[in-house]
Amino acid sequence: MESLLEINNLKTHFRTRDGWVHAVDGVSFNIAPGEKLGVVGESGCGKSVTALSIMRLVQRPPGEIVDGSILFGGQDLLDISESSMRKVRGKQIGMIFQDPLNSLNPVMTIGNQITEVLELHLGLRGQAARNRTVELLREVGIPEAEKRLHSYPHQFSGGMRQRVMIAMALACRPQLIIADEPTTALDVTVQAQILELINSISTEYKSAVMLITHDLGVVAGMTDRVVVMYAGNVIEMAPTDELFANPRHPYTLGLLASVPRLDEERQDMLTPIEGSPPDLLHPPQGCRFAPRCLFVTNQCKNPPPLRNVGSNHIAACWYDINNPAEQQRAEARRAARLRQLEQLDATAQTIVASTLDEQTTAN
Amino acid sequence: MSSTSQQVIPPSLPEGESLDFLTLTPQLARKRRSQLRIIADRFVRNRIAVVGMVVLAIITLATIFAPFLTHASAVDPDPSIKLDLNNIFGAPSLLHPLGTDELGRDELARILYGGRVSLLVGISSMAVALLFGIGIGTFAGYYGGLLDNLLMRFTDVILAIPLYLLLFVLSASFSNGSVLNVVFLIAIFGWTYTARLVRGEFLALKEREFVLAARTLGATNMRLMLRHILPNAAGPIIVNATLLVGANIILESVLSFFGFGIQIPLASWGSMVATARDYFLEDPILVWAPGLCILIVVLSFNLMGDGLRDALDPYLTER
Amino acid sequence: MGRYIIRRLLQAIPLLILVSVVVFILIHLLPGGPERVLFNPRLSAAAREALKVRLGLDKPIWLQYVFWLKGAVTGDFGNSFADGQLVISDIGARVPATIELFGAALLFALIIAVPLGIISAVRQYGLADYSITILGYFGISMPIFFFALIMQEIFSVKLGWLPDFGRSSDADFATGFDYFLDYLLHLILPMIVLSLAFMAGWSRYMRSSMLEVIRQDYMRTARAKGLGPVRVLLRHGIRNALIPLLTIVALDFGGIAGGAAVTETIFAWPGLGRLFLDALSARDYPVLLAMLLMSAVVVVLFNLIADVLYGVLDPRIRFG
């Protein structure tokens, strides 16, 4: 089946006073028509920049798409002219942003903001445009749609605003919807509703969805496949269920382990992944996750390629983390680290205790 | 142990291998600079502001060292500049780089001495305005309530009357053309902005924790006001002060132009333009010289002030 | 919104009363009081006394104030010492001239400043931005009387393109259109001079307002919808950026009384500024008092308008 969207070796860098930041450094993945793809990673891993690169909305200075191709509907989006790109934006690819309050124009009615898209791409005017807008608002679940045409964004709640954004993105029935952290700015109770809405309406319109998030819970119920990104690279990609059941990259493993689960016995501590992502100004040679990895060896100074590790499942790691020997090795490391931390803790306690003693004897 | 560096390696390596390739990639050990240094650096990077500052320094020094730069025999003031009624409206020459004025006096000397007056008035009135403004703003912002209300009403009344009309009337009543009078006259305008600024700062910071902490340690009100809260407003106050000098110089020059400010025997650039106006045809330099001086000096203060504002702004996005 | 307006108006009243007190005191501090006017050697002592009584100058000062205020509230400011006419009509005669000059200057400044500010922001750090910024600095640093003199000298005296003073030539014109043309010619120079400072200040303000707006997320959303850069700018950007500027314009309009004084003097424009200066030197108390109070009212009024304007233009406040 031919892909709807095919990203090949995308590289987007940002020029700063101190040098180039390699925000997206060789990312490749596909989206099939009607497929729902999740893109997961922590802040700064390059997932948003990837989305903006697809839409060619990256700020020209300081950002630059320096390499790669993005094939969509038979053309390379990075090759076409700006005016051709404008026909793609909003019409064939719709985008939903993270913060609906700031992403909607505060001085325009939401009706106008939606009809704007209809006028631009579908040539609808006047009453026809308004009718379609009302229809859209109803579809996304906004009550009293007719009256709401004349409302302003600030008069809505967060969830309603996001629904408006969804309506705006879907107005022209695009083939692909990119949702960049659509629920992050919303209350937890509303998040599920919005996700459900995106799910159902995209299915109905037969649109593919690229759902970007840092929250694993979000992709679990909704996506067909997941791409995991780290420090500007894709490090794992698999069908959703497979990924959760059988993670093959230490980072993914760490991510899953750090999420508290309802079905497990309650632990005393959450287990985060120690450390922080690398500096993208000077990305390390070799595997970018190595400094935080429990499985690391000297082999990791060579950047690991994306290997096939299962059906439709690829991961960028030299090691098979399912291998018991490897697991033992990692476990030993972890135990040693825990011991070290306990030691540090004990030392700290004694220092504090002795300082307090000194103070009380002094007084 | 774990830090932002790339050094988070579980310590015990069963294989005994070394993982040297994971050590910190070079770079990024920034020299720690003091905050003052940072601000100064940012200011210096703004070349235009620096140019303004340099120009200002040159002009100020020139006015201070006027007697050495001209032929005037005494240090001060105008009467020492020799009249020479045989040489009125002289063209620029080696002896008189800017020519002579309607009474044969050396124009350059007049400019420099006039500059003394203009700059002195501008800066002193800023100082006075600043003092008043900080004082009033501090009390209004810190104590709030009725005092704040009264002081702000008072400020509003002053601001409601158009500035120039107010100044004209006041100077007709009180001014005798001396520098002191004019300084206080102009200061009336300046303190309102400073007061608002300082008051705003106080209102915002009054309730913050560090004030509460200082108070529990026994700090008196005065101490709190001066040493804890006020320094926070230092940045905006400095910017405000710099821009205020420019505004004051213009104010003084307008007043003097109308005869309400500096009067003979003293002269400021503004009054010089006023007298030169009648002789525009005969000797345009007499109008251009003092006028341009005002323009350049005010421009420099504005450039400097904006440069300071950008240097002090913590949220300025870097290019 | 309506309630807000009423509340502000009520707050303005005590302020204006305070202002009237201050103004009254100030004027009466002027050396050489109304006695100057009365110091007409030809008047006999008795006539002088009678004049004093008639003008109410024999009463204690606070009573004089009360009488004045009572009249002022109804618009009766008494008669001018200088020409004996009703103060209100003296002022009224000059108001149109000042409004024409000031209004034209503000309009001109706005028309120029807005596009300049926009261009400056959109082409930030480019040549256009650089030049506009420099011109802006010159504009706000320029002493207005100097600029006026220079312009007068260049365009009027040297080039002879424009008349150098007054509001109209004394000549007789054949048609009404000729009168109008002559009037326009007289208006141009003072208008440009007066507009300079505003133009400079507003374009800088527009620039920073625009820069703020450009950075906003909704601009990115507009582009994501497929809108071209021009439409994004015009439909989404400018509307937002203009709102704060317009409130500043309203505030500046409040400075009409004092602002034009300098320009009017240099160009001999027959407006309120000149009236004030003449009255000041003549110690024409009634005129001075009236002008000061009325201009304070205008300032306060336009402050209020500026606030309300923001509320009207920004739907976030209108439909809070």
Side-chain angles (χ1 to χ4, degrees):
Chain A
M1 183 171 50
E2 208 182 82
S3 309
L4 174 67
L5 178 78
E6 192 181 311
I7 305 178
N8 289 317
N9 199 26
L10 176 68
K11 290 193 185 159
T12 307
H13 298 168
F14 288 83
R15 187 203 309 256
T16 68
R17 226 161 29 99
D18 302 312
W20 286 95
V21 172
H22 302 72
V24 174
D25 215 10
V27 162
S28 309
F29 58 82
N30 299 353
I31 305 182
E35 178 180 27
K36 298 187 177 46
L37 180 77
V39 178
V40 174
E42 52 193 283
S43 308
C45 72
K47 44 195 206 298
S48 287
V49 177
T50 306
L52 290 175
S53 303
I54 297 174
M55 293 286 268
R56 273 172 59 175
L57 284 177
V58 176
Q59 280 268 45
R60 268 326 239 357
E64 283 276 355
I65 303 180
V66 296
D67 202 359
S69 68
I70 301 181
L71 300 174
F72 180 78
Q75 44 184 5
D76 183 358
L77 294 181
L78 299 181
D79 256 350
I80 62 180
S81 69
E82 173 65 19
S83 55
S84 307
M85 189 67 207
R86 284 204 287 274
K87 299 210 185 77
V88 173
R89 290 190 201 120
K91 181 156 187 231
Q92 294 176 20
I93 307 181
M95 189 151 175
I96 303 169
F97 292 97
Q98 173 175 337
D99 183 357
L101 177 57
N102 289 322
S103 298
L104 290 171
N105 192 333
V107 303
M108 268 174 89
T109 61
I110 58 142
N112 280 340
Q113 296 192 45
I114 299 181
T115 50
E116 193 176 33
V117 193
L118 297 172
E119 276 176 38
L120 181 67
H121 293 298
L122 302 179
L124 290 180
R125 303 236 178 274
Q127 194 58 41
R130 275 198 294 277
N131 288 342
R132 171 79 180 129
T133 305
V134 170
E135 204 183 298
L136 276 165
L137 288 178
R138 289 213 185 100
E139 279 179 50
V140 297
I142 292 185
E144 300 188 302
E146 285 258 8
K147 280 176 46 182
R148 295 307 219 166
L149 278 187
H150 307 290
S151 302
Y152 290 90
H154 70 277
Q155 293 172 297
F156 286 89
S157 70
M160 288 289 154
R161 280 195 286 266
Q162 197 60 296
R163 290 174 195 266
V164 170
M165 280 230 68
I166 295 173
M168 223 162 55
L170 281 152
C172 303
R173 295 181 182 259
Q175 297 163 282
L176 170 66
I177 303 170
I178 303 179
D180 188 357
E181 310 249 21
T183 53
T184 309
L186 302 174
D187 290 340
V188 174
T189 45
V190 179
Q191 283 184 10
Q193 292 174 8
I194 296 298
L195 286 174
E196 180 48 45
L197 175 63
I198 297 179
N199 206 354
S200 60
I201 208 167
S202 60
T203 311
E204 190 190 316
Y205 281 26
K206 299 197 187 20
S207 315
V209 176
M210 179 172 150
L211 179 63
I212 300 173
T213 178
H214 62 271
D215 187 343
L216 285 168
V218 164
V219 296
M222 195 177 136
T223 53
D224 304 323
R225 259 191 324 139
V226 180
V227 166
V228 182
M229 281 183 69
Y230 183 79
N233 293 138
V234 171
I235 50 118
E236 189 162 2
M237 188 157 65
T240 314
D241 294 337
E242 164 80 1
L243 187 82
F244 276 79
N246 199 9
R248 301 303 287 271
H249 191 284
Y251 175 62
T252 320
L253 187 64
L255 267 187
L256 288 167
S258 66
V259 177
R261 296 174 59 144
L262 285 175
D263 60 343
E264 279 181 355
E265 203 186 281
R266 210 170 109 159
Q267 304 160 294
D268 286 327
M269 287 191 314
L270 293 176
T271 36
I273 311 175
E274 249 192 299
S276 20
D279 176 10
L280 290 176
L281 254 180
H282 309 278
Q285 23 150 218
C287 176
R288 294 184 178 186
F289 186 64
R292 305 164 79 184
C293 185
L294 288 172
F295 294 81
V296 63
T297 66
N298 255 330
Q299 167 72 330
C300 302
K301 74 161 143 250
N302 305 309
L306 279 166
R307 294 183 303 131
N308 234 319
V309 293
S311 68
N312 210 7
H313 188 164
I314 55 175
C317 184
W318 292 115
Y319 296 102
D320 177 5
I321 64 175
N322 283 345
N323 183 335
E326 300 293 340
Q327 288 184 345
Q328 246 183 358
R329 189 163 62 84
E331 192 50 46
R333 277 249 183 81
R334 191 151 71 96
R337 177 76 180 140
L338 275 174
R339 278 199 302 275
Q340 188 195 34
L341 286 176
E342 275 166 26
Q343 257 181 355
L344 284 174
D345 203 30
T347 324
Q349 299 274 26
T350 33
I351 295 179
V352 171
S354 68
T355 322
L356 280 174
D357 278 342
E358 275 174 26
Q359 278 196 344
T360 42
T361 47
N363 290 350
Chain B
M1 185 219 132
S2 89
S3 60
T4 54
S5 73
Q6 318 214 33
Q7 276 282 12
V8 185
I9 314 159
S12 68
L13 306 166
E15 300 86 355
E17 295 172 60
S18 67
L19 294 173
D20 43 303
F21 75 96
L22 285 177
T23 47
L24 194 63
T25 52
Q27 272 258 337
L28 302 181
R30 269 231 157 91
K31 280 186 301 187
R32 282 202 51 199
R33 299 175 287 173
S34 74
Q35 200 177 27
L36 206 59
R37 188 71 205 286
I38 295 180
I39 294 175
D41 280 348
R42 285 168 79 175
F43 181 77
V44 165
R45 261 196 290 138
N46 184 345
R47 281 172 294 156
I48 300 201
V50 173
V51 167
M53 196 170 72
V54 167
V55 167
L56 213 49
I58 293 178
I59 294 183
T60 310
L61 287 173
T63 57
I64 294 179
F65 291 109
F68 300 103
L69 295 167
T70 68
H71 309 292
S73 52
V75 176
D76 236 9
D78 260 6
S80 72
I81 305 176
K82 299 208 201 83
L83 295 183
D84 182 1
L85 291 168
N86 293 322
N87 188 17
I88 60 175
F89 305 130
S93 65
L94 219 51
L95 196 61
H96 302 289
L98 288 175
T100 57
D101 71 355
E102 74 277 8
L103 293 177
R105 295 174 287 195
D106 176 27
E107 180 67 6
L108 180 61
R110 289 210 69 208
I111 289 280
L112 290 178
Y113 281 102
R116 283 188 178 186
V117 176
S118 290
L119 285 170
L120 186 62
V121 170
I123 295 180
S124 329
S125 55
M126 178 271 281
V128 172
L130 215 63
L131 222 58
F132 265 115
I134 293 181
I136 292 185
T138 303
F139 281 99
Y142 187 75
Y143 288 107
L146 189 60
L147 184 61
D148 178 26
N149 243 313
L150 282 174
L151 288 172
M152 285 304 109
R153 286 306 129 242
F154 177 49
T155 314
D156 285 342
V157 169
I158 302 274
L159 285 176
I161 307 175
L163 180 62
Y164 278 115
L165 301 187
L166 181 62
L167 286 178
F168 290 159
V169 171
L170 282 173
S171 79
S173 300
F174 296 114
S175 178
N176 57 11
S178 71
V179 171
L180 197 64
N181 279 14
V182 177
V183 164
F184 276 95
L185 209 57
I186 296 180
I188 289 180
F189 146 73
W191 68 256
T192 49
Y193 293 99
T194 315
R196 284 252 161 97
L197 203 88
V198 172
R199 172 180 177 266
E201 196 71 30
F202 268 83
L203 285 179
L205 293 178
K206 199 165 52 158
E207 308 299 333
R208 293 266 290 270
E209 293 84 26
F210 71 88
V211 171
L212 194 58
R215 210 194 295 244
T216 52
L217 287 176
T220 61
N221 279 340
M222 184 61 72
R223 193 181 166 83
L224 270 174
M225 290 194 284
L226 288 179
R227 290 209 53 194
H228 290 266
I229 303 186
L230 203 51
N232 280 284
I237 290 181
I238 292 177
V239 174
N240 176 247
T242 312
L243 297 173
L244 193 58
V245 180
N248 283 348
I249 292 182
I250 290 208
L251 258 183
E252 178 273 315
S253 66
V254 173
L255 280 181
S256 304
F257 179 78
F258 279 95
F260 287 110
I262 300 289
Q263 282 150 21
I264 36 181
L266 288 175
S268 74
W269 287 331
S271 61
M272 283 170 71
V273 176
T275 41
R277 180 187 179 187
D278 296 326
Y279 310 112
F280 208 152
L281 277 177
E282 284 98 334
D283 194 353
I285 290 186
L286 299 181
V287 171
W288 280 94
L292 278 179
C293 283
I294 300 176
L295 175 61
I296 292 176
V297 166
V298 173
L299 186 61
S300 304
F301 273 108
N302 281 336
L303 289 173
M304 239 180 73
D306 274 5
L308 280 172
R309 179 194 289 141
D310 288 346
L312 287 164
D313 181 355
Y315 297 115
L316 181 69
T317 48
E318 312 255 357
R319 254 222 245 181
Chain C
M1 178 56 59
R3 244 181 299 166
Y4 176 69
I5 297 181
I6 294 182
R7 197 156 38 98
R8 286 290 303 269
L9 282 173
L10 288 178
Q11 278 175 349
I13 295 180
L15 177 66
L16 288 172
I17 294 185
L18 266 175
V19 170
S20 69
V21 172
V22 169
V23 158
F24 196 81
I25 295 176
L26 277 182
I27 296 295
H28 278 86
L29 286 172
L30 284 172
E35 278 67 51
R36 233 208 238 178
V37 177
L38 307 175
F39 189 74
N40 187 336
R42 282 186 284 145
L43 281 176
S44 67
R48 228 177 287 161
E49 272 310 306
L51 192 57
K52 252 178 137 177
V53 170
R54 191 161 66 83
L55 290 173
L57 294 171
D58 56 328
K59 305 265 189 338
I61 201 83
W62 60 270
L63 207 54
Q64 289 187 40
Y65 165 72
V66 172
F67 283 137
W68 171 72
L69 192 61
K70 231 175 57 161
V73 170
T74 57
D76 175 16
F77 289 98
N79 294 46
S80 156
F81 284 172
D83 63 9
Q85 304 297 319
L86 276 177
V87 167
I88 201 79
S89 51
D90 272 348
I91 293 181
R94 306 290 198 120
V95 162
T98 297
I99 290 189
E100 285 160 17
L101 176 59
F102 206 76
L106 288 198
L107 201 60
F108 184 65
L110 198 62
I111 294 177
I112 307 253
V114 169
L116 283 188
I118 294 175
I119 295 175
S120 211
V122 170
R123 304 234 176 282
Q124 198 185 11
Y125 301 131
L127 184 63
D129 180 22
Y130 198 64
S131 337
I132 293 174
T133 306
I134 293 198
L135 286 178
Y137 272 110
F138 269 94
I140 60 174
S141 312
M142 172 79 73
I144 195 172
F145 58 90
F146 179 55
F147 187 55
L149 285 179
I150 300 298
M151 294 292 275
Q152 203 177 37
E153 190 63 22
I154 296 179
F155 288 97
S156 204
V157 177
K158 286 282 163 59
L159 292 174
W161 289 354
L162 296 164
D164 59 348
F165 58 83
R167 193 161 159 231
S168 61
S169 314
D170 277 331
D172 273 322
F173 292 105
T175 66
F177 180 71
D178 285 332
Y179 268 114
F180 187 60
L181 199 61
D182 176 62
Y183 167 72
L184 275 184
L185 286 178
H186 277 91
L187 183 61
I188 291 183
L189 215 46
M191 177 189 82
I192 292 182
V193 166
L194 190 55
S195 69
L196 182 71
F198 295 116
M199 210 188 296
W202 292 348
S203 72
R204 291 180 74 197
Y205 196 80
M206 187 68 193
R207 175 183 184 269
S208 66
S209 185
M210 200 65 205
L211 281 176
E212 277 262 349
V213 165
I214 288 182
R215 253 185 267 164
Q216 296 298 313
D217 286 344
Y218 54 80
M219 297 292 274
R220 185 181 54 181
T221 309
R223 288 182 61 207
K225 294 199 293 196
L227 291 170
V230 174
R231 281 189 73 169
V232 170
L233 204 63
L234 289 178
R235 289 199 73 184
H236 292 260
I238 295 184
R239 243 190 263 195
N240 281 278
L242 216 45
I243 293 178
L245 180 69
L246 288 179
T247 52
I248 301 274
V249 171
L251 280 176
D252 280 340
F253 199 88
I256 185 172
V262 177
T263 317
E264 285 178 8
T265 304
I266 295 184
F267 288 99
W269 189 266
L272 292 171
R274 291 196 51 211
L275 179 64
F276 189 84
L277 285 169
D278 294 339
L280 187 57
S281 49
R283 300 289 189 261
D284 194 345
Y285 278 29
V287 172
L288 291 172
L289 286 171
M291 283 202 64
L292 282 175
L293 187 61
M294 285 176 70
S295 40
V297 169
V298 168
V299 167
V300 170
L301 185 67
F302 273 94
N303 278 3
L304 180 61
I305 290 180
D307 272 349
V308 171
L309 198 63
Y310 211 112
V312 162
L313 292 175
D314 188 337
R316 284 171 288 192
I317 302 181
R318 186 152 44 119
F319 302 115

